[in-house]
Amino acid sequence: MEIKKKDIRALTKEQLRAFFVKEGDKAFRGNQVYEWLWQKAAYSFDDMTNISKETRQMLEDNFVINHIRVDTMQRSNDGTIKNAVRLHDGLIVESVLIPTSTRTTACVSSQVGCSLDCKFCATSRLKRMRNLNPDEIYDQVVAIDNESRLYHNRPLSNIVFMGMGEPLMNYNNVIKAIDKITSKEGLGMSPKRITVSTSGVPKMIKKMADDEVKFNLAVSLHSAVDEVRTSIMPFNETFPLQDLRESLEYWYTKTQRKISYEYVVWKGINDTQNDIDAFVKFCKYVPCKVNIIEYNPIDDGEFQQASNEALENYIRTLEQNRIVVNVRRSRGKDIDAACGQLANKT
């Protein structure tokens, strides 16, 4: 019977060092292998050229590197790149490189499918198959960094957890991935350039605050009226706005960092003055900024972009109340890479 090999990237550096000592080698060999796995993102043991062939074969006999593979890469007219990423077990997730004149941002996935049920999002229609491992999240970032350097002549500057899945429903693995991404022994990126976007899981937002995370928090809000929010995001019944508000107040008290609200305005759903007034009131509980996001249709026509007049009304009212607001135009729509469109169509 074939023995299933362990994924070597599940080991800590200390465990790698101990493995080599147990095999009669020097502990520092574990440091070398760890550097190959994370800083250099080695795909195979044969890549580890400063290690003897015998040692590489010994690693091959005992471990695997469950590296992702970019199955399909699509390039948009606006420079956006979408990757269909095949995982070691054959499942696929999508990640996106979003370029602007000043930065390149990686939008990465944290789950195969999604744990939540937002009606306006294509990903939510996919059954959640499993959580991504830390190395699978890390590999998406490495792949997009390579594409940023190749196609845009600069390294990746920012990361947003806004791809497939609810990051806070895969909290431990997301945190481990970010630790690797920000570590000097990994990619060495600043946590200030990383944003984790959640649909709002109050208990986990409080846990992030208690864990003293250094990255940014964004909340996919879309309505500050419970009935409306529940109609488009049914899990709001379990995590109502009052609980979300308390968790965000707790976050700000502990971290002193502003929250970003992601907000789409739909025709006939959240485009009235009552919706605007409720949102402005919610924004005043905790220092924040608002990103009004262009809606990207997902085929069935149930949700439609609100009129320009409704959008302008939102923007004007927010600005009158001294709330910072930006309008985000979608990128990559021609390859289904825009916000809410990731659904493994490739």
Side-chain angles (χ1 to χ4, degrees), residues 68-332:
I68 66 162
R69 188 172 81 241
V70 176
D71 241 21
T72 311
M73 186 192 78
Q74 293 176 276
R75 295 180 67 187
S76 166
N77 296 327
D78 61 22
T80 299
I81 294 172
K82 182 172 77 168
N83 293 325
V85 173
R86 187 172 295 276
L87 310 174
H88 70 92
D89 56 4
L91 295 173
I92 289 179
V93 295
E94 294 180 338
S95 54
V96 182
L97 166 63
I98 307 162
T100 69
S101 59
T102 56
R103 64 173 63 178
T104 51
T105 299
C107 177
V108 299
S109 294
S110 56
Q111 295 181 312
V112 185
C114 188
S115 296
L116 300 181
D117 51 10
C118 304
K119 292 183 178 180
F120 52 83
C121 179
T123 308
S124 71
R125 300 181 179 189
L126 305 174
K127 187 176 98 176
R128 188 194 76 83
M129 306 289 286
R130 68 172 175 87
N131 289 334
L132 293 189
N133 297 325
D135 52 277
E136 293 170 326
I137 297 169
Y138 187 91
D139 286 351
Q140 291 175 73
V141 175
V142 171
I144 291 175
D145 181 45
N146 290 337
E147 290 167 349
S148 179
R149 293 169 190 269
L150 178 62
Y151 296 109
H152 298 283
N153 297 313
R154 57 179 185 261
L156 184 68
S157 60
N158 295 77
I159 301 169
V160 293
F161 282 78
M162 294 182 186
M164 300 171 74
E166 166 53 62
L168 299 194
M169 294 293 198
N170 185 18
Y171 182 77
N172 290 337
N173 288 348
V174 165
I175 292 297
K176 286 176 184 174
I178 291 173
D179 285 346
K180 285 283 193 299
I181 291 164
T182 56
S183 166
K184 289 180 181 176
E185 295 178 319
L187 300 181
M189 286 190 71
S190 167
K192 292 177 181 176
R193 294 183 173 272
I194 298 174
T195 298
V196 171
S197 178
T198 176
S199 292
V201 187
K203 181 173 76 172
M204 301 313 296
I205 291 171
K206 288 180 177 178
K207 178 164 174 53
M208 279 199 300
D210 288 336
D211 288 346
E212 299 180 350
V213 300
K214 304 300 182 193
F215 51 78
N216 303 304
L217 173 63
V219 176
S220 186
L221 192 67
H222 309 305
S223 178
V225 179
D226 264 314
E227 297 75 21
V228 176
R229 196 166 195 259
T230 299
S231 73
I232 58 175
M233 304 167 83
F235 68 88
N236 184 72
E237 199 158 5
T238 307
F239 307 130
L241 286 165
Q242 178 63 31
D243 293 354
L244 177 58
R245 170 192 165 181
E246 288 174 4
S247 71
L248 296 175
E249 288 172 335
Y250 186 82
W251 161 273
Y252 186 75
T253 300
K254 294 278 284 192
T255 68
Q256 294 297 298
R257 290 209 301 284
K258 280 185 179 181
I259 291 151
S260 294
Y261 291 122
E262 311 291 338
Y263 203 96
V264 179
V265 186
W266 291 284
K267 182 179 179 181
I269 293 176
N270 61 349
D271 58 352
T272 70
Q273 190 61 47
N274 182 55
D275 294 301
I276 297 171
D277 293 342
F279 183 39
V280 168
K281 183 179 177 183
F282 197 88
C283 287
K284 289 183 176 179
Y285 293 133
V286 179
C288 68
K289 63 179 181 179
V290 172
N291 294 318
I292 301 282
I293 300 172
E294 183 181 359
Y295 179 59
N296 305 296
I298 55 170
D299 298 338
D300 56 17
E302 180 184 353
F303 292 87
Q304 296 176 28
Q305 175 79 38
S307 67
N308 285 334
E309 183 184 354
L311 286 176
E312 290 301 326
N313 201 7
Y314 260 98
I315 294 163
R316 183 171 58 253
T317 309
L318 286 163
E319 287 178 342
Q320 284 171 352
N321 283 271
R322 298 184 178 179
I323 297 163
V324 175
V325 56
N326 299 297
V327 178
R328 293 279 169 87
R329 300 296 174 193
S330 291
R331 301 176 65 87

